Amino acid sequence: KLNFSQYIFDNSGKQKLYHRLTQYILNDQSGYDRYGDLESELDYQITDDFDFYNNSFYNYDQKKFSKIYNKLAFNGKKINFSLSHLYKNLFNYTKDNYLTFSTKYKQNPHYSYTLRYDYDMELNLRKNAEIGFLFQKRCWEFGLKYVENNRPILTNNSNTDSIKDKYIYFTIVFKPFMDSNDTPIFIHKLPQSD
């Protein structure tokens, strides 16, 4: 693989731009598919709070992009949010086209609230939605989150349908024995509605 990377810094030494270009080279004796996808990764720090990220893969055989991921993020003192889009095409198999919005509001050092929404643009349906809160103290955390997950299923007539799973996540973390990213202590799956 060939890698080319470049960095641009401002006068204070903060990174403003990162760009990487990678060409994957396959060792195929037949000459077919000699070059893999061309990858371009870009991270642009627009301001101290705003960031734009892009990761793209170009397929030479199909003469199309096989994956494009874009994300715009804001990281403030009290509010964080991001809006992202993923397009992924496996050409002969599946195509993914997702739009994701997530936000976190930190009311004070103890209380924070989160919201996330995923939309599948290919199937025109809500893929995932969640809302929750977290209470933090010095040596422990308590969190509660409601999640709806839309799982696609294949029906008898080859059409796609979906099942909406609904969960309640209950988390207690005792620091330093546990990590906030560990699996929740209690997960309750709510009954499905018809």
Side-chain angles (χ1 to χ4, degrees):
K1 108 177 151 172
L2 294 174
N3 239 348
F4 300 99
S5 299
Q6 66 185 120
Y7 301 85
I8 297 177
F9 298 89
D10 66 10
N11 292 335
S12 67
K14 284 186 179 178
Q15 180 180 307
K16 293 297 286 178
L17 182 78
Y18 164 73
H19 183 239
R20 177 178 56 87
L21 200 59
T22 302
Q23 176 60 67
Y24 295 93
I25 301 173
L26 306 174
N27 295 323
D28 188 0
Q29 298 297 330
S30 68
Y32 183 71
D33 271 342
R34 192 168 149 226
Y35 294 106
D37 286 359
L38 176 68
E39 180 184 5
S40 174
E41 182 180 31
L42 174 78
D43 191 1
Y44 175 45
Q45 191 72 41
I46 301 167
T47 67
D48 287 343
D49 297 330
F50 273 103
D51 181 65
F52 174 74
Y53 177 81
N54 170 272
N55 190 317
S56 301
F57 291 81
Y58 181 79
N59 186 289
Y60 291 106
D61 295 331
Q62 300 293 327
K63 295 179 178 53
K64 294 179 182 177
F65 283 97
S66 58
K67 178 183 172 188
I68 301 172
Y69 176 73
N70 291 301
K71 180 178 179 181
L72 182 65
F74 174 81
N75 294 308
K77 292 179 181 172
K78 286 191 163 267
I79 296 176
N80 298 343
F81 72 83
S82 69
L83 180 63
S84 64
H85 177 254
L86 170 68
Y87 171 81
K88 189 174 178 182
N89 189 346
L90 299 178
F91 302 115
N92 294 331
Y93 303 102
T94 60
K95 191 185 288 186
D96 293 326
N97 196 356
Y98 290 104
L99 194 60
T100 300
F101 173 78
S102 64
T103 187
K104 179 177 182 179
Y105 172 66
K106 191 170 185 175
Q107 181 180 356
N108 57 43
H110 300 295
Y111 288 96
S112 62
Y113 307 91
T114 58
L115 177 71
R116 180 182 169 113
Y117 189 86
D118 298 330
Y119 186 76
D120 188 330
M121 296 171 64
E122 195 68 28
L123 299 175
N124 290 325
L125 59 86
R126 182 184 69 217
K127 189 75 177 157
N128 182 292
E130 60 186 62
I131 188 167
F133 82 93
L134 182 69
F135 177 78
Q136 297 175 302
K137 280 293 228 186
R138 182 180 305 184
C139 59
W140 63 279
E141 295 177 1
F142 165 78
L144 191 63
K145 187 187 303 186
Y146 172 75
V147 177
E148 286 186 8
N149 187 27
N150 205 346
R151 287 185 298 130
I153 59 169
L154 198 59
T155 60
N156 290 339
N157 57 5
S158 298
N159 291 334
T160 56
D161 201 357
S162 62
I163 296 175
K164 289 183 181 169
D165 294 326
K166 298 174 183 178
Y167 297 94
I168 293 179
Y169 291 88
F170 175 71
T171 305
I172 295 180
V173 175
F174 297 106
K175 300 174 189 175
F177 306 108
M178 301 168 77
D179 188 335
S180 297
N181 296 325
D182 288 344
T183 305
I185 289 180
F186 177 74
I187 301 172
H188 177 68
K189 184 174 180 181
L190 299 172
Q192 293 178 359
S193 57
D194 295 330

